[in-house]
Amino acid sequence: MRTDPTPYVPYDAPDTPYALHPAPIPFAGPWSYELVFPRDPRGPRIARTNLRAILDAHELAELSYRAELLASELTTNSVRNAQGPAGVRVQWRHPVLRVSVWDLSPDLPEPCRPAVGPEAEAGRGLAILELVADRWGGCAIGEGELGSGGKTIWFELALTS
């Protein structure tokens, strides 16, 4: 039973001051989402699925393929190499999408690594990041609620129009 004095207004009446749902954020308006996941091999798939849903909901599907590929590389590295949880933050600052992946490993990736052979199962992540992202970088993070150390690796994709 409702006890507040606000009258019920259906969602299809968004111009009223008492609408139950806010108006959608304008396309050029800033927003961000964050997902934290445990060190679990299902984490990268869950991150990709959420990223795709976010981009589809905000009508940014043209960025999905590149964003999912890069997020998958970064989250997979976090699950394989870090001891503990990891997280993904998705930020929109029109016309740039920034995806950041953090984990508790203090080891930043080496900027230039020798090329791996065609049979190698790992070692291509930074090369893919360099080729596909418009910009990328990383930084160490300090003390936090989850302990000391850690890093964030981020990439940006610009909307082309």
Side-chain angles (χ1 to χ4, degrees):
M1 179 172 171
R2 291 178 48 128
T3 58
D4 64 48
T6 307
Y8 172 78
V9 178
Y11 179 68
D12 59 356
D15 293 334
T16 62
Y18 299 111
L20 294 178
H21 299 282
I25 295 170
F27 183 75
W31 49 259
S32 68
Y33 293 84
E34 205 160 344
L35 170 70
V36 176
F37 55 93
R39 184 173 187 244
D40 182 283
R42 295 169 285 208
R45 180 173 43 95
I46 291 167
R48 280 192 314 273
T49 302
N50 279 276
L51 178 58
R52 182 181 318 119
I54 291 165
L55 295 179
D56 285 349
H58 285 278
E59 300 177 6
L60 292 167
E62 72 182 77
L63 298 178
S64 283
Y65 178 76
R66 293 191 306 151
E68 287 179 57
L69 172 66
L70 297 175
S72 183
E73 287 293 328
L74 295 178
T75 55
T76 298
N77 285 346
S78 291
V79 167
R80 283 186 177 167
N81 301 316
Q83 301 297 316
V88 177
R89 184 171 191 200
V90 182
Q91 298 173 281
W92 175 248
R93 301 291 182 267
H94 182 70
V96 175
L97 178 76
R98 177 180 274 208
V99 178
S100 306
V101 177
W102 63 263
D103 61 47
L104 299 178
S105 171
D107 303 324
L108 288 168
E110 297 175 29
C112 295
R113 293 179 61 185
V116 296
E119 302 301 318
E121 292 184 15
R124 293 180 188 84
L126 288 182
I128 293 170
L129 194 60
E130 185 69 35
L131 288 170
V132 176
D134 295 326
R135 284 181 11 138
W136 72 277
C139 62
I141 53 178
E143 283 290 318
E145 67 180 52
L146 298 174
S148 62
K151 69 177 169 304
T152 297
I153 306 295
W154 56 267
F155 64 85
E156 291 181 345
L157 303 174
L159 189 63
T160 56
S161 310

